[in-house]
Amino acid sequence: MIHSLFLINNVGDLFLEKHWKSVISRSVCDYFFEAREKAGEPDNVPPVIRTPHHYLINIYRDKIFFVSVIQTEVPPLFVIEFLHRVAETFQDYFGECSETTIKENMVIVYELLEEMLDNGFPLATESNILKELIRPPNILRTMVNTITGSSNVGETLPTGQLSTIPWRRAGVKYTNNEAYFDVVEEIDAILDKSGTTVFAEIQGVIDACVKLSGMPDLTLSFMNPRLLDDVSFHPCVRYKRWESERVISFIPPDGNFQLMSYHISAQNLVAIPVYVKQNISFFESGSSGRLDITVSPKQTMGKVVECVVVTIHMPKVVLSASLNATQGTYKYDPLTKILVWDIGKLNPQNTQKQPNLKGSLSLQSGAPKPEENPSLNIDLKIQQLAISGLKVNRLDMYGEKYKPFKGVKYVTKAGKFQVRT
Amino acid sequence: MTDSKYFTTTKKGEIFELKAELNSDKKEKKKEAVKKVIASMTVGKDVSALFPDVVNCMQTDNLELKKLVYLYLMNYAKSQPDMAIMAVNTFVKDCEDPNPLIRALAVRTMGCIRVDKITEYLCEPLRKCLKDEDPYVRKTAAVCVAKLHDINAQLVEDQGFLDTLKDLISDSNPMVVANAVAALSEIAESHPNSNLLDLNPQTINKLLTALNECTEWGQIFILDCLANYTPRDDRESQSICERVTPRLSHANSAVVLSAVKVLMKFMEMLPKDLDYYGTLLKKLAPPLVTLLSAEPELQYVALRNINLIVQKRPEILKHEMKVFFVKYNDPIYVKLEKLDIMIRLASQANIAQVLAELKEYATEVDVDFVRKAVRAIGRCAIKVEQSAERCVSTLLDLIQTKVNYVVQEAIVVIKDIFRKYPNKYESVIATLCENLDSLDEPEARAAMIWIVGEYAERIDNADELLESFLEGFHDESTQVQLQLLTAIVKLFLKKPTETQELVQQVLSLATQDSDNPDLRDRGYIYWRLLSTDPVAAKEVVLAEKPLISEETDLIEPTLLDELICHIGTLASVYHKPPSAFVEGSRGVQHKRLPARAGSGESAESPEVGQSGTSEAPPAVIPSQGDLLGDLLNLDLAPATTTVPSVQPSMQMGAMDLLGGGLDSLLGGDIGGSPSMGAALGAPAAMPAALSNAPAVGGGLGDLFDLGGGVGMPTGFYVAPKTLFLPAMKAKGLEISGTFARRGGIIQMDLSLTNKAMSVMTDFAIQFNRNSFGLAPAGPLQVLTPLTPNQTIDVSLPLGTTGPVMKMEPLNNLQVAVKNNIDVFYFSCQYPLSLLFVEDGKMERQVFLATWKDIPNDNEAQFQIKDVHLNSDAASNKLQGSNIFTIAKRTVDAQDMLYQSIKLTNGIWVLAEMRVQTGNPNYTVNRNKESCQ
């Protein structure tokens, strides 16, 4: 199982190590550093690295490498999932997962890691249970602790640990009982030069914030459940009922959690909300090039497309850009070679004057014409719309007497939305 | 205030300050001090000097302080074992605490203190905790058994903890079950044969029940454990599949992949016509696709596994091509894997899309990725014949870009396309030649040279082109040098008049000025060939090449089946069996897919096979990799350095068989029959063949010849009797004889003739020690006295249990015959086929695995000429001599027969025979291994 964990920041400092079995010298990380060096970009470090006596399985999150050491045949996905869980737990406890916060909360981090893994076997990874065992830091509690001498470690066995619903703690009480659901859809798409869809799919999640007293049993149903043929559920969801009735029936964890994720595949027709017309060309001579991009709304179902941002990774030889934007602002960073055009809202009424970015690029003189074509990355957001058309029908609660306040929100975003040139 | 305050140092010295604080009377101060100690520990500072002071803080009712001290103990107990003993009492006391949290914590921590003395004290508390009323304590204790086993395995066995652990599989709490399974699995890994996880339908049922209720991590352990089970029949298999399927919708991708493993394995047992089989196939696709929307690290592992799944069951993802399209900001490791899967999924239906994508990728920034994309285009051409033309034109477009590495890659793949579709696309050669100067990588140079040599007759200035390469001959890499040598020889054979000088030059460069033995050897071979028999040289050098295989880099089926059983593990990431790399895997078991129900014939019928891969083409021989690979090397790769030697002095018995034994059998025994000229196999085999020319190929040829020609009933071939002992040398006794194998018994048939004047009596026979331990199994039955001029025929049964001594040649037998006159000695040679036993039919699986395992230098090759039999008849004929055909397949109008032979002393010989229809020549590739 998982033997040790090393946390390494993106400049290569090892700032935390934890061993669940015998101690493994940190020199084992030299193999990681070697691979890190070879990979160039931190994103490109291979997740599984083989060394003569160990395997290093690592993830890169929030500018930190989580490097775990294993010695026997352990499913790598198991390790990777666990590492992500560690990162999420830090995020959950300290608000952000960064080297600074981890160092500031070193003791809690250590206590958490000890609680999450025993002898390399996952012990408690549910945030509910962890929070009962080790209370997250906050200013008020630190003060109270200092005054009263009490600690931030729970004295009793967490109730959820052993029940068949480990995700919920007992005795939850709220004065305002409320349940909110966010349906968030991301469009992953690749469009080619001419604007034709090469590939498009939707990754959807339903995030929930449930603050209900007692042991509520909820049922969520959809207007059009047939859209969902590829789903992954939080462990609280009763799979059998989904199979037979296509409703989501569950006893929710307390607080924020992801109820389900779904995937609407490339085979269904995915509506593309914007149309991008672009032309980026470099001239053979004169060390210059031209850029002309127009973005206009397309299939938006009558909603407004907001927060539209176009990001372009320019080839290395592009020194500067002198452009003119009819809407929004643009910025070219000659160091990272990234051109960002922040457009803002797309006005659906004014079809005559679509946002346009136009002008010339100047290249390093004498350098050959770049071989590669830069791709455009599009960011956008549409409120009150799930682009797949998914709609929640109703939410019912059983098992408790009070009447909760309920709400559903929809939002569509661009995921990995790329336009090739 | 945050924990960073614990890192502040003072002038006086940190350790000193901490020591004072730890011994403070104030609880709060103590706790803060321990926190500081822990904080220092986490960043790797050595605070072990504080050990006694920290341990003193252990006796406390404050849980947080206790936990912190435990953390410290776990870290430093190893370096201070004597001090750690001081803590034992507190541990034992804590194991009795009314609070289950403390009981569990104590037993958990004790297990982490890897000090022998402490483990002794651990046993009693652990035993209690394993039977604790609180499941939280039980589940913690279960893991503790695994910890203890890691420290002292013997102790765990002696104390009977393993049995207690097995009992916990039936525990009422699913979490306890899951942890017990996890602990047992970990222990089982170090005891592969201990049968710790004895799975039977009852335990399986318990596991399946626990599966629904335990945590996600527990589900992974249980699923991985389930995957080791082999259901009794297809119904059980189906019911397990039904109960596992819901796991495919789990949010944890490790759970999903473990479930996929169970399903992929158990599916093997389901009859294909079952509706459920189809349903299951459909259910597998969405979760696999979903894995690709996860974080890149997860995607990578998922893709490596999908690569296996696609090879095993292409139907699952055949419509999902688009999800494998590459995004420009995917990490490089994801990009490369996606590309690989795209090619595996490429078919006539989607090839247009795929090609458009690949062309797009060829203009990306990342050089490695671009190269692989260009190669992928070539692989598409080879895989989907209809697309070849489009692929070639795409490649030509790419060559026009003049981007250096793109051009080089393109030329390498175009060479392969030429191999696959000869005489179809040679019109592009002109374009290729234009780019000659820009090639600076050996592989591309070698490919280009190959093309020039191969098509020398169509390229007007081929000699100039090759000559230009020759100038810097010694600076080239071996690959290029070898290629250049071959290409120029080819050119010479095609245009002998103009290129004589060139060929002289290259031959002398290769043979005289080079230090590379491969190059020198190849040079000499060509030289000798050209000087002795130009016609033969032409036949050899310009021989028709086997076509390139369509599925070049498929994983070999047995390995694939094994890897399918290891989905989700490191083995699946590396595409290697666990035995190949897992450290300390003491005899990892090879996992196998279960057989499909209804294929009861199992091993007997090669058509069904054991693996249940009945949809695969009848032969399961790896396509290119090892077998054809060697042949393809003929021209392409850097020469294989295996020069099969015929020198009779090899180190091992097994080698002897190959080097001396079989060859001398084949040659010496029946050799010299004029119809059986020897021919050459691969260039590497040439020196062997040359020096041994008339001998090779004799024996087997004889088997065919006689059997086929006279139309004898198939059976063991018996050579006519030869004279063993002339009368002159044995005072009138003449002995001739031969050897035969009848019904599994080896017999020596002897004709004894009395050419003397007096009666002969009292015959007896004895053998000297010999290579295979042949010895008379009974007395020589000459009952009546042998009168003058009388001939008597006797059959002497032989056993193979006599004393063994290596003979020269291997099949030499020294015999002593005694009669009333004197003792006479003679030696004779027996055919090696005498020793081929009837149970020499190897299982296909084993055959494949063995073939792979045999090192290349155990391989020899030769041709048998002028045998007018088709492969089936040959196979029948050979079967009569206990040479068993394991599999047959047809590649490009050649029948490949894969055969196995077992010798009486347990040595196996594996052979591959290629029979070209209409061509009376057979090529035999021999491979062998010893079982001892």
Side-chain angles (χ1 to χ4, degrees):
Chain A
M1 291 293 120
I2 301 171
H3 216 294
S4 304
L5 173 72
F6 297 98
L7 298 192
I8 297 169
N9 66 15
N10 61 348
V11 291
D13 299 328
L14 198 162
F15 64 92
L16 182 135
E17 59 183 296
K18 165 80 187 145
H19 307 276
W20 284 277
K21 292 182 164 189
S22 51
V23 176
I24 290 177
S25 155
R26 53 166 73 192
S27 64
V28 74
C29 291
D30 292 349
Y31 295 99
F32 170 80
F33 292 127
E34 209 174 286
R36 164 81 180 78
E37 189 120 332
K38 226 167 104 191
E41 295 290 313
D43 289 322
N44 286 341
V45 180
V48 185
I49 298 166
R50 189 174 162 183
T51 79
H53 301 287
H54 306 93
Y55 290 87
L56 305 179
I57 298 184
N58 68 86
I59 64 164
Y60 182 61
R61 282 248 329 223
D62 305 305
K63 295 187 178 157
I64 300 172
F65 288 101
F66 292 72
V67 183
S68 67
V69 184
I70 60 171
Q71 228 168 357
T72 47
E73 174 67 270
V74 180
L77 271 190
F78 164 95
V79 182
I80 296 174
E81 277 278 359
F82 177 80
L83 294 178
H84 280 293
R85 206 60 59 87
V86 171
E88 278 157 26
T89 307
F90 290 166
Q91 169 98 36
D92 190 25
Y93 263 74
F94 315 128
E96 61 162 356
C97 175
S98 70
E99 190 185 347
T100 331
T101 52
I102 290 174
K103 275 186 174 162
E104 275 174 6
N105 298 284
M106 197 60 104
V107 177
I108 293 188
V109 165
Y110 222 63
E111 284 172 339
L112 277 173
L113 290 175
E114 187 58 35
E115 219 46 72
M116 291 179 83
L117 220 53
D118 176 21
N119 195 36
F121 296 104
L123 197 60
T125 52
E126 283 286 338
S127 114
N128 272 290
I129 295 172
L130 283 173
K131 281 186 181 158
E132 278 184 66
L133 286 168
I134 300 155
R135 300 198 182 98
N138 67 41
I139 295 167
L140 190 66
R141 182 156 327 107
T142 323
M143 277 167 57
V144 172
N145 283 355
T146 335
I147 296 160
T148 62
S150 61
S151 77
N152 58 352
V153 168
E155 298 274 335
T156 50
L157 193 60
T159 43
Q161 267 285 36
L162 289 159
S163 72
T164 46
I165 39 170
W167 53 84
R168 189 170 181 90
R169 59 194 173 97
V172 182
K173 263 206 183 114
Y174 287 102
T175 40
N176 295 323
N177 288 295
E178 45 194 19
Y180 297 108
F181 294 89
D182 287 359
V183 180
V184 183
E185 295 194 341
E186 291 192 352
I187 308 171
D188 284 355
I190 303 174
L191 308 185
D192 71 6
K193 281 188 208 31
S194 58
T196 328
T197 311
V198 176
F199 156 84
E201 61 178 13
I202 296 168
Q203 311 288 351
V205 294
I206 299 185
D207 285 326
C209 173
V210 178
K211 294 181 173 170
L212 298 175
S213 314
M215 273 288 166
D217 196 333
L218 303 179
T219 307
L220 186 75
S221 63
F222 298 100
M223 307 275 269
N224 37 10
R226 226 179 303 157
L227 278 172
L228 305 171
D229 62 344
D230 182 2
V231 285
S232 305
F233 294 118
H234 187 277
C236 68
V237 176
R238 296 181 182 100
Y239 187 73
K240 285 229 169 76
R241 282 201 66 190
W242 169 256
E243 279 282 88
S244 54
E245 302 165 48
R246 295 276 141 175
V247 296
I248 299 180
S249 156
F250 59 103
I251 295 174
D254 184 42
N256 294 314
F257 67 102
Q258 191 178 84
L259 178 64
M260 67 180 287
S261 65
Y262 57 92
H263 171 249
I264 292 176
S265 71
Q267 281 159 50
N268 299 31
L269 275 181
V270 174
I272 303 291
V274 290
Y275 177 70
V276 182
K277 205 176 117 189
Q278 42 73 26
N279 182 22
I280 301 175
S281 52
F282 302 104
F283 304 125
E284 286 292 352
S285 57
S287 304
S288 66
R290 280 201 63 77
L291 178 144
D292 187 349
I293 305 172
T294 311
V295 181
S296 51
K298 209 171 151 194
Q299 295 156 291
T300 60
M301 327 279 169
K303 305 277 196 247
V304 180
V305 184
E306 302 170 55
C307 306
V308 182
V309 179
V310 179
T311 313
I312 310 170
H313 269 264
M314 286 294 179
K316 281 202 184 71
V317 291
V318 177
L319 284 183
S320 64
S322 120
L323 308 167
N324 182 32
T326 60
Q327 184 183 332
T329 53
Y330 81 93
K331 209 166 99 191
Y332 179 66
D333 182 344
L335 277 179
T336 55
K337 308 287 176 196
I338 294 175
L339 174 70
V340 181
W341 177 28
D342 189 340
I343 303 174
K345 241 181 239 179
L346 290 186
N347 191 341
Q349 269 78 50
N350 189 352
T351 46
Q352 259 42 144
K353 232 183 96 192
Q354 295 306 344
N356 172 273
L357 182 71
K358 203 162 139 183
S360 62
L361 305 167
S362 63
L363 312 186
Q364 206 175 311
S365 62
K369 191 182 123 174
E371 278 146 13
E372 75 268 13
N373 299 324
S375 284
L376 274 59
N377 228 18
I378 312 284
D379 242 331
L380 55 86
K381 199 163 152 188
I382 307 170
Q383 302 280 11
Q384 296 310 317
L385 173 74
I387 196 102
S388 67
L390 188 74
K391 271 218 161 70
V392 173
N393 185 21
R394 51 183 298 146
L395 177 74
D396 297 306
M397 187 182 76
Y398 306 93
E400 294 291 333
K401 293 269 174 348
Y402 56 85
K403 242 188 142 151
F405 187 81
K406 303 177 280 196
V408 180
K409 242 175 36 183
Y410 300 91
V411 63
T412 295
K413 293 178 191 167
K416 289 178 179 164
F417 195 117
Q418 308 184 348
V419 184
R420 291 176 179 161
T421 59
Chain B
M1 248 210 304
T2 64
D3 292 352
S4 52
K5 67 177 182 255
Y6 302 128
F7 291 108
T8 51
T9 46
T10 54
K11 284 173 198 156
K12 254 192 169 177
E14 208 179 1
I15 300 285
F16 180 80
E17 290 247 320
L18 284 172
K19 208 176 180 90
E21 284 176 42
L22 283 170
N23 290 317
S24 149
D25 295 335
K26 282 186 195 150
K27 254 189 189 174
E28 202 43 42
K29 203 154 194 186
K30 248 186 190 175
K31 201 167 85 186
E32 290 299 299
V34 176
K35 278 194 178 180
K36 281 184 201 168
V37 173
I38 299 283
S40 308
M41 188 177 87
T42 54
V43 289
K45 277 187 203 160
D46 184 16
V47 281
S48 59
L50 296 167
F51 199 89
D53 308 282
V54 177
V55 169
N56 275 336
C57 303
M58 191 173 166
Q59 296 239 22
T60 170
D61 46 3
N62 182 316
L63 192 60
E64 186 181 20
L65 185 57
K66 204 183 248 320
K67 277 190 173 183
L68 292 170
V69 175
Y70 280 180
L71 274 178
Y72 180 88
L73 266 176
M74 281 186 245
N75 221 7
Y76 285 118
K78 187 93 190 169
S79 55
Q80 311 257 349
D82 295 329
M83 292 296 231
I85 296 284
M86 284 165 35
V88 164
N89 260 336
T90 323
F91 278 126
V92 176
K93 217 174 82 199
D94 281 355
C95 285
E96 311 260 329
D97 198 279
N99 184 346
L101 196 60
I102 293 188
R103 290 204 297 276
L105 188 64
V107 76
R108 194 174 122 198
T109 313
M110 269 182 103
C112 294
I113 297 179
R114 308 173 64 89
V115 174
D116 280 341
K117 283 183 199 156
I118 290 211
T119 47
E120 287 166 28
Y121 294 98
L122 177 59
C123 292
E124 274 322 300
L126 178 59
R127 199 186 314 280
K128 267 186 215 150
C129 287
L130 279 167
K131 302 221 157 96
D132 199 286
E133 53 173 20
D134 194 303
Y136 182 72
V137 181
R138 288 204 300 277
K139 89 171 190 160
T140 315
V143 174
C144 189
V145 175
K147 293 180 196 168
L148 191 58
H149 186 272
D150 193 29
I151 304 168
N152 189 343
Q154 196 56 46
L155 186 71
V156 170
E157 277 171 50
D158 295 346
Q159 295 279 337
F161 284 139
L162 292 182
D163 293 321
T164 324
L165 207 50
K166 280 189 215 166
D167 293 342
L168 285 183
I169 293 186
S170 316
D171 199 280
S172 56
N173 186 294
M175 249 71 82
V176 179
V177 177
N179 273 14
V181 169
L184 280 172
S185 305
E186 196 181 66
I187 294 172
E189 214 170 294
S190 51
H191 289 258
N193 301 316
S194 56
N195 218 0
L196 275 176
L197 280 161
D198 186 19
L199 297 174
N200 55 48
Q202 285 77 41
T203 45
I204 289 295
N205 200 30
K206 276 175 192 139
L207 291 182
L208 285 168
T209 314
L211 180 63
N212 287 325
E213 293 172 353
C214 65
T215 65
E216 48 198 310
W217 313 108
Q219 294 184 13
I220 300 170
F221 297 136
I222 292 181
L223 286 168
D224 284 346
C225 176
L226 275 177
N228 290 329
Y229 177 64
T230 311
R232 286 160 305 171
D233 50 29
D234 51 326
R235 290 181 56 188
E236 190 186 5
S237 182
Q238 179 176 347
S239 89
I240 295 176
C241 286
E242 279 165 358
R243 294 177 70 176
V244 167
T245 317
R247 300 298 125 213
L248 292 176
S249 298
H250 202 286
N252 185 320
S253 56
V255 175
V256 175
L257 203 58
S258 289
V260 168
K261 164 163 61 187
V262 175
L263 295 175
M264 281 295 285
K265 189 176 172 193
F266 289 7
M267 247 171 118
E268 285 293 324
M269 289 187 72
L270 300 177
K272 290 201 138 181
D273 44 2
L274 196 71
D275 287 345
Y276 181 70
Y277 179 83
T279 322
L280 200 53
L281 273 185
K282 272 193 209 116
K283 279 195 173 164
L284 277 170
L288 290 175
V289 171
T290 303
L291 289 179
L292 297 182
S293 53
E295 286 83 358
E297 298 93 0
L298 295 169
Q299 278 188 50
Y300 170 73
V301 178
L303 285 165
R304 289 296 283 173
N305 281 285
I306 288 173
N307 201 327
L308 295 174
I309 293 168
V310 163
Q311 288 184 56
K312 180 73 190 165
R313 299 196 179 280
E315 63 269 32
I316 294 178
L317 288 168
K318 66 179 172 201
H319 298 302
E320 303 289 351
M321 172 62 89
K322 284 188 173 180
V323 297
F324 299 104
F325 284 3
V326 173
K327 303 189 177 90
Y328 83 89
N329 47 6
D330 282 335
I332 179 73
Y333 55 82
V334 167
K335 283 182 178 174
L336 296 176
E337 289 306 315
K338 281 187 173 175
L339 200 53
D340 218 37
I341 295 172
M342 279 174 69
I343 300 160
R344 296 207 193 285
L345 287 176
S347 66
Q348 206 184 333
N350 56 24
I351 193 74
Q353 254 181 352
V354 174
L355 270 182
E357 279 295 303
L358 292 177
K359 201 176 171 186
E360 192 73 41
Y361 303 159
T363 61
E364 281 234 17
V365 200
D366 200 312
V367 178
D368 283 345
F369 180 58
V370 172
R371 283 175 181 273
K372 192 155 182 181
V374 176
R375 270 193 198 221
I377 297 176
R379 275 167 71 186
C380 282
I382 288 163
K383 188 170 179 206
V384 185
E385 185 160 0
Q386 293 80 356
S387 74
E389 193 154 351
R390 210 175 323 174
C391 293
V392 171
S393 74
T394 309
L395 287 170
L396 284 179
D397 286 352
L398 290 174
I399 289 178
Q400 300 305 344
T401 63
K402 302 274 177 198
V403 179
N404 187 285
Y405 52 86
V406 173
V407 174
Q408 310 213 33
E409 286 298 324
I411 285 178
V412 173
V413 297
I414 285 180
K415 175 207 70 193
D416 286 342
I417 296 177
F418 283 173
R419 291 289 303 279
K420 170 77 181 172
Y421 310 107
N423 306 318
K424 230 174 152 184
Y425 301 108
E426 281 73 12
S427 50
V428 307
I429 289 177
T431 322
L432 301 185
C433 289
E434 288 166 18
N435 291 287
L436 217 58
D437 300 335
S438 63
L439 307 179
D440 53 11
E441 289 162 24
E443 201 181 356
R445 286 176 83 84
M448 193 64 220
I449 293 169
W450 182 87
I451 293 172
V452 175
E454 187 66 19
Y455 299 99
E457 67 272 32
R458 305 184 194 207
I459 306 171
D460 295 334
N461 59 345
D463 47 345
E464 286 168 33
L465 293 177
L466 291 176
E467 203 170 354
S468 68
F469 280 107
L470 204 56
E471 280 160 18
F473 190 77
H474 288 298
D475 302 329
E476 300 282 5
S477 72
T478 313
Q479 188 184 8
V480 180
Q481 289 177 332
L482 286 168
Q483 205 51 256
L484 198 52
L485 172 63
T486 306
I488 292 179
V489 172
K490 278 183 191 165
L491 173 69
F492 172 69
L493 290 166
K494 287 175 178 174
K495 301 179 180 173
T497 43
E498 312 121 61
T499 55
Q500 210 147 5
E501 217 170 285
L502 195 61
V503 82
Q504 289 286 357
Q505 202 183 339
V506 76
L507 285 175
S508 80
L509 276 173
T511 54
Q512 284 159 29
D513 300 344
S514 170
D515 295 333
N516 184 323
D518 289 338
L519 187 63
R520 241 174 14 223
D521 281 359
R522 197 187 277 197
Y524 277 126
I525 291 160
Y526 284 143
W527 203 324
R528 219 169 287 177
L529 259 178
L530 293 172
S531 56
T532 47
D533 189 353
V535 181
K538 208 161 189 168
E539 264 173 49
V540 172
V541 179
L542 302 179
E544 212 169 287
K545 275 162 285 300
L547 287 180
I548 215 160
S549 151
E550 289 187 19
E551 288 295 338
T552 38
D553 48 359
L554 277 188
I555 294 177
E556 186 246 312
T558 19
L559 177 60
L560 180 61
D561 283 355
E562 194 184 345
L563 289 177
I564 289 285
C565 298
H566 289 287
I567 283 179
T569 65
L570 283 169
S572 71
V573 172
Y574 285 107
H575 291 185
K576 280 181 192 160
S579 50
F581 63 88
V582 174
E583 170 136 324
S585 60
R586 280 146 274 189
V588 177
Q589 294 139 307
H590 285 271
K591 292 187 185 172
R592 277 199 192 172
L593 290 176
R596 190 176 302 282
S599 65
E601 309 97 299
S602 71
E604 280 312 295
S605 140
E607 288 313 302
V608 179
Q610 277 219 307
S611 65
T613 49
S614 39
E615 77 261 41
V620 244
I621 301 299
S623 43
Q624 197 198 18
D626 302 357
L627 306 184
L628 280 176
D630 265 3
L631 286 171
L632 293 176
N633 274 336
L634 192 61
D635 278 309
L636 295 177
T640 45
T641 48
T642 55
V643 180
S645 156
V646 218
Q647 293 150 355
S649 59
M650 307 295 300
Q651 329 84 311
M652 305 284 296
M655 283 310 289
D656 248 340
L657 234 189
L658 174 75
L662 258 177
D663 275 346
S664 50
L665 152 79
L666 297 168
D669 188 25
I670 324 165
S673 44
S675 68
M676 266 138 261
L680 308 168
M686 273 184 206
L690 280 173
S691 63
N692 212 19
V696 184
L700 272 176
D702 239 4
L703 289 178
F704 288 123
D705 219 19
L706 273 155
V710 190
M712 264 207 258
T714 28
F716 185 80
Y717 162 67
V718 183
K721 283 182 182 171
T722 48
L723 186 63
F724 286 158
L725 184 68
M728 302 148 64
K729 285 193 177 172
K731 301 184 178 164
L733 176 66
E734 188 184 79
I735 301 178
S736 60
T738 184
F739 295 86
R741 188 178 181 93
R742 298 187 184 95
I745 297 165
I746 304 171
Q747 285 179 325
M748 186 179 192
D749 294 345
L750 293 172
S751 295
L752 309 176
T753 310
N754 186 349
K755 294 206 167 165
M757 307 302 286
S758 57
V759 177
M760 295 179 182
T761 53
D762 301 328
F763 284 97
I765 192 162
Q766 213 165 15
F767 292 175
N768 194 2
R769 289 192 285 176
N770 55 69
S771 317
F772 291 93
L774 280 176
L780 192 61
Q781 301 277 334
V782 187
L783 298 174
T784 49
L786 199 60
T787 53
N789 276 331
Q790 190 197 0
T791 300
I792 191 168
D793 287 341
V794 287
S795 265
L796 178 70
L798 303 182
T800 53
T801 49
V804 178
M805 185 177 83
K806 210 184 90 182
M807 296 301 291
E808 209 59 76
L810 206 63
N811 56 339
N812 199 16
L813 185 64
Q814 294 177 335
V815 185
V817 174
K818 194 185 86 170
N819 62 8
N820 55 340
I821 300 166
D822 204 342
V823 183
F824 310 108
Y825 299 96
F826 65 87
S827 66
C828 56
Q829 290 173 2
Y830 49 88
L832 210 55
S833 56
L834 201 62
L835 302 163
F836 297 175
V837 297
E838 276 69 21
D839 62 349
K841 184 163 185 144
M842 203 176 238
E843 271 181 36
R844 285 158 69 108
Q845 304 277 347
V846 185
F847 183 87
L848 273 173
T850 322
W851 185 278
K852 253 183 28 211
D853 288 345
I854 302 175
N856 275 349
D857 38 6
N858 270 15
E859 191 171 307
Q861 226 185 61
F862 57 88
Q863 276 193 12
I864 305 164
K865 279 202 167 181
D866 291 319
V867 185
H868 299 275
L869 283 176
N870 65 22
S871 59
D872 286 342
S875 149
N876 277 337
K877 209 117 284 173
L878 288 170
Q879 178 133 9
S881 295
N882 294 337
I883 299 170
F884 296 94
T885 303
I886 309 296
K888 174 188 163 181
R889 80 180 173 144
T890 307
V891 176
D892 308 317
Q894 296 191 66
D895 287 337
M896 317 276 271
L897 296 177
Y898 294 92
Q899 299 169 320
S900 75
I901 299 160
K902 188 185 173 190
L903 298 181
T904 46
N905 57 354
I907 290 177
W908 288 90
V909 178
L910 309 183
E912 176 198 47
M913 179 150 79
R914 293 193 296 130
V915 181
Q916 209 158 0
T917 340
N919 182 347
N921 298 343
Y922 289 9
T923 305
V924 179
N925 243 321
R926 273 178 294 136
N927 245 327
K928 77 157 91 90
E929 66 143 356
S930 162
C931 281
Q932 283 108 19

